[in-house]
Amino acid sequence: MAIAIVLAIGVLAPAGSAMACGVCYGDADSPMTEGMNNGILFLLGIIGVVQVGFVALFWNFRKRARQIQARKESFRLIEGGR
């Protein structure tokens, strides 16, 4: 029984320090809010750069495939040769 009480106190005691900060309550002028917004914009920028990279990669694949196809079509077949 004493172990259960000690465990309950150990679990419930740090609950006071886990209270929400001003950002969670909607404080728009907080420096933490500005930092969080800047972090979100930075991560969205990273996602955009990666997506542009994928578009460029597939665009390059398409261009190279067309060049290879044009080179293959430039050869002519010699009839009757062994």
Side-chain angles (χ1 to χ4, degrees):
M1 182 72 170
I3 295 175
I5 293 172
V6 170
L7 283 175
I9 291 173
V11 170
L12 296 176
S17 64
M19 297 296 291
C21 60
V23 175
C24 298
Y25 290 122
D27 183 17
D29 296 329
S30 170
M32 288 179 61
T33 305
E34 292 176 24
M36 182 177 59
N37 288 338
N38 290 337
I40 290 169
L41 290 175
F42 176 76
L43 291 176
L44 285 173
I46 294 296
I47 290 171
V49 167
V50 170
Q51 287 180 345
V52 167
F54 274 117
V55 168
L57 175 73
F58 288 113
W59 190 289
N60 191 17
F61 285 165
R62 181 178 176 214
K63 180 179 150 186
R64 289 175 64 188
R66 286 184 176 180
Q67 288 174 348
I68 290 171
Q69 186 64 29
R71 179 149 170 89
K72 283 182 181 179
E73 291 173 356
S74 71
F75 293 116
R76 58 184 174 90
L77 182 62
I78 300 173
E79 296 292 331
R82 283 189 181 195

